[in-house]
Amino acid sequence: MTQINAYIGFNGKCREAMNFYKECLGGELVLQTIGESPMKEHCAAGTEGQILHSSLMRNDVLLLMGTDMVGPTGYTEGNNIALSLNCSTEEEINTFFSKLSEGGKIFQEVKPQFWGSLFGMLTDKFGINWMLNYEMHQQKK
């Protein structure tokens, strides 16, 4: 199923913020640190405890995702939210990425990632940040 979720950058406060949202909204919180991922080799020393990716789920529904990672344009309050589009097929992610990037700026082309997905990032012509993801191990229904 294709769906869009908010993905928020917290600039070092992800653990605190996501625990706050868990207390407010309930659900199950999953946190992955930079040090627990292959990204640790590409990040500055001392960032191992920062959150690479977090997700808050409630009743099998994804509510919110967050990170301490800073996007390609740096961190400015207000530009720290992206729409994360979870796609159903490889064709879908490529089509959406192509259309959304027209007149915008591509930060990362769609390509395989260490977590088993195809993933790409862009800012559309209206200044909206997008992260597109397709889990390649999804079963076709």
Side-chain angles (χ1 to χ4, degrees):
M1 174 174 76
T2 305
Q3 72 182 57
I4 297 175
N5 294 94
Y7 202 108
I8 304 173
F10 291 104
N11 199 31
K13 296 183 180 181
C14 186
R15 184 181 306 273
E16 176 185 355
M18 293 298 285
N19 276 302
F20 170 76
Y21 295 126
K22 179 184 177 188
E23 290 298 314
C24 293
L25 305 172
E28 179 184 343
L29 177 61
V30 176
L31 301 167
Q32 179 185 33
T33 65
I34 291 170
E36 298 168 330
S37 78
M39 290 296 294
K40 67 182 172 189
E41 299 169 9
H42 306 286
C43 295
T47 62
E48 297 85 4
Q50 289 188 350
I51 304 301
L52 174 66
H53 176 75
S54 64
S55 58
L56 180 60
M57 307 249 333
R58 184 166 183 245
N59 300 325
D60 294 323
V61 174
L62 180 61
L63 299 177
L64 186 63
M65 295 180 288
T67 187
D68 282 324
M69 302 294 285
V70 176
T73 59
Y75 180 86
T76 303
E77 242 178 77
N79 80 346
N80 58 327
I81 297 177
L83 297 178
S84 177
L85 180 57
N86 294 303
C87 300
S88 299
T89 66
E90 186 171 345
E91 179 183 2
E92 191 174 71
I93 190 173
N94 289 318
T95 299
F96 290 162
F97 191 88
S98 176
K99 290 180 177 183
L100 286 167
S101 64
E102 287 179 15
K105 184 174 182 181
I106 295 172
F107 291 106
Q108 182 175 322
E109 292 284 350
V110 173
K111 63 182 182 180
Q113 300 295 324
F114 71 87
W115 60 87
S117 292
L118 292 175
F119 178 81
M121 292 173 35
L122 64 97
T123 299
D124 70 21
K125 64 183 177 183
F126 299 104
I128 303 301
N129 298 315
W130 290 87
M131 298 168 34
L132 286 79
N133 192 74
Y134 165 61
E135 294 181 27
M136 293 184 286
H137 65 274
Q138 293 184 94
Q139 294 180 353
K140 295 184 179 183
K141 296 182 179 182

